[in-house]
Amino acid sequence: MCENSKLDLVLRNNINGDFSIVENISEIKPGAFININWNKKKLMLPYSLRKDYISFTDKKWDWKYQFNKDGSPDINNPSLLELLPSGEIQEHFCQSEDKSSNL
């Protein structure tokens, strides 16, 4: 859920073109991507290796998970950032609807 609008996402690994669905965020491999269907937008964002968070970005949109103090990803409070034509960055506030999800 982002800004009170339903958000559907599917995280996939792309090892040798298999496009396997990732059930647990710890299973992400290089070449992974995320499909986001939200607010009449359909995004496909590639995995981007970052030091301080897990990120999927095409440099216009950025879906990311911050890390908790224990080093695990905070899957319940992802961020969706949008680079606007003006150059400003707009953050869309999101929350996981399924608190038991591993993704």
Side-chain angles (χ1 to χ4, degrees):
M1 183 75 93
C2 282
E3 297 182 342
N4 298 319
S5 293
K6 185 168 174 37
L7 179 136
D8 292 313
L9 63 91
V10 176
L11 181 55
R12 295 181 183 272
N13 278 325
N14 186 20
I15 303 298
N16 299 320
D18 65 357
F19 303 109
S20 61
I21 294 176
V22 175
E23 299 293 334
N24 188 308
I25 199 145
S26 66
E27 298 171 355
I28 294 173
K29 306 284 186 223
F33 61 91
I34 195 165
N35 291 111
I36 299 173
N37 187 352
W38 170 72
N39 204 19
K40 298 183 182 178
K41 293 172 182 58
K42 293 184 186 235
L43 307 171
M44 182 175 154
L45 306 176
Y47 178 47
S48 177
L49 297 172
R50 303 278 177 92
K51 178 182 174 190
D52 297 325
Y53 46 87
I54 297 172
S55 176
F56 298 86
T57 186
D58 64 1
K59 298 187 181 172
K60 179 178 184 210
W61 292 93
D62 189 6
W63 177 267
K64 63 183 178 180
Y65 298 98
Q66 300 289 339
F67 289 110
N68 293 312
K69 289 180 182 177
D70 66 1
S72 65
D74 182 0
I75 58 173
N76 295 319
N77 296 297
S79 298
L80 180 60
L81 305 170
E82 177 183 7
L83 178 61
L84 301 174
S86 66
E88 293 182 88
I89 295 175
Q90 180 178 0
E91 183 171 5
H92 302 281
F93 297 96
C94 305
Q95 278 188 313
S96 173
E97 290 183 35
D98 181 5
K99 298 293 183 185
S100 66
S101 171
N102 289 326
L103 186 63

